Amino acid sequence: SMGVRTAAIVLGVLMSANLTNTICEFAGVAASMEVFGVSKYVSVPLAATAVWLLVVKGNYKVVERVFLVASAIYICYVISAVLARPPWPTVLRELVTPRFRFESRYIALAVTIIGTTIAPWMQFYQQSAIADKGLKPSDYRAERADVVAGSLFGVLVACFIIIACASTLGVHRVHVDTAKDAALALGPLAGKHAATLFALGLFNASFFTAAILPLSTAYVFCEAFGWESGVDRSFGEAPVFFSIYTAIIVLGAGVILLPIRSLVQVMLASQTFNGILLPVVLIVMLRLINDRRIMGRFVNSRLFNGLAWIIVAALIALSIVLLISAVFPGLLGRRME
């Protein structure tokens, strides 16, 4: 459905983005454990070993169940936001009537939030996981409900993360250099329990995404080149799949062990990159989902196509404005309240 050159470009960009994102996830592991006094030279190697063993030595059913249990821990962010005592009437009003600002930093942050909430790797992981699970067309309705429920839960958690930070760090203009700073700053502003829950949520999110990101990358490359893949296979049955998975974990964790002062800007940049890459990925996926030779009766309806293209157009517009503001920094204001 798409040329070799296009596929190669998408794969190359995805590899770069996923490696950078994996580095950021291990940064999150290090930052969250430093809140509890654990050095990154202990937490990162242990976390890298654990996520490697989980996938390489486990099977799909075990991995899926571990991920499902981990997803429940995201409730920590919800409790943390409640403990922060935000002005709920203001939160609800802004949720219903959001405001948009033509400021370069605001637009960059908007693209970044989209990039981290609907990351390109998620799209690839989703379809690969469904194939690895061995689902059939008869399972489509249940899987669709699963995806919708998971997406709504993910957006809900993201909202509470924003609420927790905005009502504490944002209100008090707290400068944050590391993710650890953000968690620790919540203590005096929202209480010790809020800080602890936020750190636990950060560790949980970072730890399991550090497993899923390399897994997504391994899936994509093996499927693109026709190599054997799948969590249920052994290392001997799918050597390239597990080698790619291992290499990204080793590189991602290794970078964090270097004497780097702060990775917040790298983390933000990688998620902004995700937001810019997302329209490209979605366009490719829309071409595939509308190819009747591949999808048969499961091609997109006109309604879903219309909604999808509106979203893609909006993302492209945001990316263009962001790039223009980067080339001509004086064109848009940089101020954010």
Side-chain angles (χ1 to χ4, degrees), residues 184-198:
L184 288 176
L186 284 173
L189 301 176
K192 180 182 177 181
H193 295 305
T196 301
L197 288 170
F198 193 89

Side-chain angles (χ1 to χ4, degrees), residues 188-299:
L189 301 176
K192 180 182 177 181
H193 295 305
T196 301
L197 288 170
F198 193 89
L200 288 174
L202 175 61
F203 174 79
N204 182 68
S206 301
F207 179 84
F208 286 100
T209 310
I212 294 174
L213 266 163
L215 197 54
S216 172
T217 311
Y219 273 133
V220 171
F221 273 80
C222 288
E223 289 174 5
F225 292 100
W227 296 319
E228 292 291 341
S229 65
V231 178
D232 279 331
R233 298 183 184 278
S234 67
F235 211 114
E237 292 173 328
V240 177
F241 176 77
F242 288 111
S243 294
I244 293 173
Y245 180 75
T246 303
I248 294 178
I249 288 177
V250 171
L251 288 171
V255 170
I256 300 304
L257 296 179
L258 297 174
I260 300 172
R261 178 177 174 271
S262 172
L263 279 170
V264 165
Q265 292 305 315
V266 176
M267 293 167 77
L268 287 173
S270 71
Q271 303 308 323
T272 305
F273 187 38
N274 277 347
I276 294 173
L277 175 62
L278 185 59
V280 178
V281 174
L282 292 180
I283 288 172
V284 172
M285 291 185 69
L286 280 169
R287 285 183 58 188
L288 292 174
I289 195 65
N290 285 292
D291 190 332
R292 199 169 289 276
R293 293 173 303 167
I294 299 172
M295 300 304 300
R297 64 187 178 89
F298 294 106
V299 293

Side-chain angles (χ1 to χ4, degrees), residues 137-177:
S138 57
D139 302 312
Y140 178 75
R141 181 171 293 182
E143 180 60 27
R144 186 177 184 180
D146 184 30
V147 171
V148 170
S151 299
L152 291 174
F153 180 71
V155 172
L156 182 69
V157 169
C159 285
F160 278 101
I161 293 173
I162 294 170
I163 292 168
C165 293
S167 57
T168 52
L169 311 182
V171 170
H172 291 84
R173 300 289 192 271
V174 176
H175 179 73
V176 172
D177 283 319

